[in-house]
Amino acid sequence: MSLVSEGADLRGASAAASGLGLAEPSLATVGDYIALLKPRVMSLVVFTALVGLAVAPGTIHPMTGFTALLCIAVGAGAAGALNMWYDADIDAQMVRTSRRPVPVGRVKPGEALAFGLTLSGFSVVTLGLLVNVLAAALLAFTIFFYVVIYTAWLKRATPQNIVIGGAAGAFPPMIGWAAVTGSVSLEPILLFAIIFFWTPPHFWALALYKSDDYRRAGIPMLPVVAGDVNARRQILRYTMILTPLGVAPWVLGFAGPLYGATALVAGAIMMVLAWQVLCERRPDDRASKQLFAFSILYLFLLFAVLLAERGWGGLLARLAA
Amino acid sequence: MNDRDKDEGIVLTEAQKRARRSRSIAIALALAALVILFYVMTLVKGPGVLIRPI
């Protein structure tokens, strides 16, 4: 029996036991439903979407911009809820995710599914009606990609799960850009590429020191399937692609010198940490933890400086004038 | 079991009633926010609200 069919059986048993969770009175609180939206992931999505929206050429009414960000946030949250519905069986087996509302039984699988589908529909339709159709189509594709391609297919099927699935997390700045311009060009594709190539070193660093958790849950993360040493090599390879990409907006003239300097310094630190991860052997996990933590700061720094430098026609330049 | 017991159906506990009430208030607030959002965006867009080029 494959991992996917086992998961489907568990979900089916859970749904049958509770009648999809709709017959029994629910004890779920508003806080449980907010937890389904994965607020921490949502905050990063909103931030990168804000940068895409702010650096895009042209103007957007502040209320329209707010609506776009709200829809992107709700759409990301809906994808998170659908992910928690589908992955309830494996979430229950991992320490990091075992306290989520569905595995502990506070939210029933049917409730999480209905919640996710409702919010997905509302976020995409509202974005299409109030902002523009391209942004709505990109948001719909992002939700589909995260839930169907990544969660339901790749995550349990291949060690390349987070490489391909990482595209879902890379779309928000492109959606923000499309909300302003109604089109997609090289700049948002570059922002997409930065997040896309940032995802593997970020998640594999986590998977290195959580590999027992992933092994127990039967998720074929790279360190579990291909081995510890191979995963460390892959982290360094992807970091070697990421760091030049991080500098590319400055080289291509989309960003200024402050961004260039930040990307160079932060990229150099990423490379050093990735090298230390390569040299490290378990049970030591200090370098892996450091790389995981710094990778979050790396992405935040790049986008924050880009926002300050280019956002709304050059926020820094206006403040300096 | 007498007829009276049969008609009772599902009886919510106090905790379930509190949880349901908080969920109902949250849904009401979300719907109100959606109405206000569409109202304000209609004012922002003006006549252009019906023009939505791809």
Side-chain angles (χ1 to χ4, degrees):
Chain A
M1 187 185 280
S2 72
L3 282 171
V4 175
S5 61
E6 275 178 28
D9 289 348
L10 282 168
R11 236 178 350 273
S14 172
S18 65
L20 267 180
L22 301 177
E24 293 172 27
S26 175
L27 266 175
T29 62
V30 175
D32 292 326
Y33 279 95
I34 291 173
L36 282 181
L37 301 175
K38 296 191 178 181
R40 277 191 296 181
V41 175
M42 190 198 274
S43 62
L44 194 60
V45 165
V46 169
F47 178 62
T48 55
L50 170 70
V51 175
L53 190 138
V55 303
T59 56
I60 186 169
H61 190 283
M63 193 61 207
T64 311
F66 167 77
T67 304
L69 289 178
L70 182 68
C71 290
I72 294 167
V74 173
L82 291 170
N83 168 275
M84 285 201 205
W85 161 71
Y86 194 86
D87 277 349
D89 54 333
I90 53 176
D91 281 351
Q93 297 175 52
M94 294 178 64
V95 176
R96 189 173 65 88
T97 54
S98 61
R99 301 300 304 159
R100 285 178 174 175
V102 181
V104 297
R106 286 199 306 274
V107 175
K108 297 187 175 66
E111 291 174 329
L113 174 64
F115 184 59
L117 289 176
T118 305
L119 291 190
S120 298
F122 268 95
S123 60
V124 170
V125 170
T126 304
L127 190 61
L129 287 173
L130 299 183
V131 182
N132 67 52
V133 176
L134 178 65
L138 285 171
L139 180 63
F141 182 72
T142 304
I143 296 171
F144 167 80
F145 198 90
Y146 184 69
V147 176
V148 179
I149 306 294
Y150 170 69
T151 303
W153 177 28
L154 298 171
K155 185 172 179 180
R156 301 173 191 235
T158 167
Q160 298 301 311
N161 47 16
I162 53 106
V163 178
I164 307 164
F171 273 113
M174 195 181 278
I175 303 172
W177 181 285
V180 178
T181 63
S183 64
V184 172
S185 56
L186 182 61
E187 294 99 318
I189 292 172
L190 201 50
L191 296 180
F192 172 94
I194 289 171
I195 302 178
F196 183 80
F197 284 99
W198 166 87
T199 308
H202 171 72
F203 276 107
W204 284 336
L206 173 76
L208 277 175
Y209 64 89
K210 293 280 184 189
S211 59
D212 293 340
D213 233 12
Y214 283 111
R215 186 175 292 113
R216 191 164 49 247
I219 304 173
M221 291 297 280
L222 191 69
V224 176
V225 175
D228 196 69
V229 175
N230 196 14
R232 290 171 196 275
R233 282 198 203 111
Q234 292 291 332
I235 284 175
L236 184 64
R237 279 179 198 148
Y238 274 92
T239 307
M240 287 168 73
I241 300 172
L242 169 67
T243 46
L245 267 175
V247 181
W250 169 59
V251 174
L252 296 174
F254 304 146
L258 181 62
Y259 175 89
T262 306
L264 280 171
V265 173
I269 297 172
M270 278 289 287
M271 283 299 299
V272 170
L273 289 174
W275 180 259
Q276 287 175 347
V277 168
L278 180 71
C279 299
E280 190 178 60
R281 289 291 175 269
R282 294 200 75 194
D284 290 340
D285 54 13
R286 191 160 165 262
S288 312
K289 285 180 176 172
Q290 282 180 336
L291 179 63
F292 176 74
F294 184 77
S295 64
I296 299 170
L297 181 66
Y298 173 82
L299 194 68
F300 174 77
L301 270 178
L302 257 56
F303 277 75
V305 173
L306 195 60
L307 180 67
E309 219 175 38
R310 283 275 314 271
W312 298 289
L315 196 59
L316 275 186
R318 283 189 201 183
L319 288 173
Chain B
M1 187 182 286
N2 59 34
D3 286 347
R4 196 179 160 197
D5 290 338
K6 264 188 209 166
D7 292 338
E8 275 185 359
I10 295 171
V11 180
L12 298 183
T13 63
E14 279 307 308
Q16 287 168 336
K17 281 180 186 170
R18 275 199 305 276
R20 185 175 67 176
R21 181 176 161 74
S22 69
R23 292 197 304 269
S24 300
I25 291 171
I27 292 170
L29 290 175
L31 287 175
L34 193 65
V35 170
I36 293 168
L37 180 70
F38 270 80
Y39 178 71
V40 173
M41 282 302 294
T42 306
L43 295 181
V44 166
K45 286 185 165 257
V49 75
L50 294 175
I51 305 166
R52 286 179 285 106
I54 292 176

